[in-house]
Amino acid sequence: MKRQKLKKELGLFDVYAIATGVTLSAGFFLLPGLAAVGVGSGLPLAYLLAGLLITPGLVSMAELATAMPRAGGVYYFLDRSMGPLMGTVGGFGTWIALSLKSAFALIGIGAYLGIFLPDLNYVAIAAGFAIVFGILNILGTKKSTSFQSVMVVGLLTLLMWFTGVGLMDIEVANLTGMFTQVSGSLISTAGLVVVSYMGITQVASVAEEVRNPERNIPLGMFLAFGTAVLVYTVGTAVMVGVVSADVLAQDGGDLTPVATVANALVGSWGGNLMTAAAVLAFASVANAGILAASRYPLAMSRDNVLPKFFSKIRKRRDLDH
């Protein structure tokens, strides 16, 4: 039976929105406080070093996705290069990881919205968003990525405000110890925050649906990578410069560092604004995670690893004629 192909309806900005949206979440809104415990005012350098560490893997994934633009990402690459056993193990592992990451992001949405709606159960809020994102993905890839693009634009707008206001209020004295950290602390902290960049390669799982993949996949991934490096390094420099690394590292690490800094900059409304940014960030991670995870059972079903019904595609909307 001829294999059904997914319709190519994703452009360059769609690739960029998926890769960026799934990257700017916990790495910016949660980890800086924990990382400041280990590296102090050298926090921006740790994020910059982490970006350098992830670059070889990013280049490799971009090359593979360009050479083999098929649904399933890691599963497809491992299956074709190392055989069905490694492909199956890697495919199931990545599928589970994406599902758990999406679940974590959904809980994050519920937890942050619980600040504004304290009487609502955050698990119920998370479940509601899961249903919404599930319906979006059922309606089609283009609708899901269009919504993803709106969320990413909103998130980047709020982050531009945060960094723009913060750069004008930096205390240079708070950054003076940036280059005096012990190298071991810097390297170990970079190992902690490198996870912040991992989501960029998730876009490879939808490579089959990208128009002109030779151009749009690597360009979209590297534009997203550049955005992430800029946001992480400049954003963490603002955090350290405004409130100092000691404040971020208090009590084992501030778990809401962006809100803490925004409160210091403009008051409580700034904290509320960045809480909204955190909700957008976690929502974009959840939506992109569901989109990416759904392609793994499809790809494994095509190779008879899973039952055939996992690869059944609605002809009217999704097939590439």
Side-chain angles (χ1 to χ4, degrees):
M1 183 177 68
K2 184 178 179 181
R3 189 189 72 184
Q4 296 175 321
K5 293 182 179 180
L6 294 166
K7 186 176 181 180
K8 292 184 178 294
E9 52 186 358
L10 303 182
L12 174 61
F13 190 75
D14 297 311
V15 174
Y16 172 80
I18 293 171
T20 302
V22 83
T23 304
L24 299 176
S25 58
F28 190 74
F29 291 94
L30 173 64
L31 280 182
L34 301 176
V37 175
V39 79
S41 57
L43 185 62
L45 295 180
Y47 275 90
L48 185 60
L49 178 58
L52 295 176
L53 294 175
I54 201 69
T55 301
L58 180 63
V59 172
S60 299
M61 187 64 75
E63 180 67 23
L64 287 168
T66 300
M68 297 181 284
R70 296 290 186 272
V74 170
Y75 162 75
Y76 191 87
F77 305 148
L78 287 174
D79 181 82
R80 273 28 179 202
S81 61
M82 303 181 70
L85 177 59
M86 294 303 297
T88 300
V89 172
F92 275 113
T94 307
W95 183 16
I96 293 170
L98 286 171
S99 300
L100 291 175
K101 183 173 184 177
S102 299
F104 173 79
L106 289 165
I107 292 295
I109 296 171
Y112 270 95
L113 285 181
I115 297 174
F116 302 108
L117 304 168
D119 295 331
L120 291 180
N121 187 303
Y122 70 91
V123 175
I125 297 174
F129 272 92
I131 293 171
V132 170
F133 293 140
I135 292 173
L136 275 174
N137 280 272
I138 289 172
L139 291 176
T141 302
K142 191 59 181 177
K143 288 183 174 60
S144 177
T145 52
S146 295
F147 189 65
Q148 178 79 5
S149 299
V150 172
M151 290 191 292
V152 167
V153 169
L155 173 61
L156 291 178
T157 300
L158 292 174
L159 292 180
M160 286 175 62
W161 171 84
F162 175 79
T163 54
V165 173
L167 284 171
M168 294 185 292
D169 205 33
I170 282 180
E171 295 288 341
V172 178
N174 290 336
L175 298 171
T176 53
M178 181 181 298
F179 298 98
T180 61
Q181 301 298 319
V182 178
S183 59
S185 298
L186 180 63
I187 294 172
S188 62
T189 305
L192 169 68
V193 301
V194 72
V195 69
S196 305
Y197 297 97
M198 294 297 187
I200 294 177
T201 58
Q202 285 187 16
V203 74
S205 65
V206 297
E208 186 175 316
E209 299 157 82
V210 177
R211 298 189 299 270
N212 190 12
E214 294 82 4
R215 170 184 178 271
N216 290 337
I217 292 177
L219 183 57
M221 289 174 68
F222 281 103
L223 286 174
F225 177 62
T227 300
V229 171
L230 184 64
V231 168
Y232 283 136
T233 53
V234 177
T236 53
V238 166
M239 294 180 201
V240 173
V242 172
V243 301
S244 82
D246 291 336
V247 171
L248 293 175
Q250 282 181 352
D251 301 320
D254 189 339
L255 298 181
T256 57
V258 182
T260 298
V261 175
N263 277 323
L265 287 171
V266 297
S268 60
W269 71 267
N272 292 337
L273 191 64
M274 296 319 296
T275 297
V279 170
L280 280 175
F282 282 115
S284 63
V285 170
N287 183 58
I290 291 171
L291 175 66
S294 66
R295 272 49 185 175
Y296 281 85
L298 183 148
M300 289 188 281
S301 177
R302 286 174 171 176
D303 292 340
N304 299 314
V305 176
L306 290 175
K308 280 296 182 184
F309 69 80
F310 280 104
S311 61
K312 185 178 180 180
I313 304 170
R314 290 174 301 139
K315 188 171 184 180
R316 184 179 64 179
R317 285 179 178 160
D318 295 330
L319 288 185
D320 186 13
H321 297 292

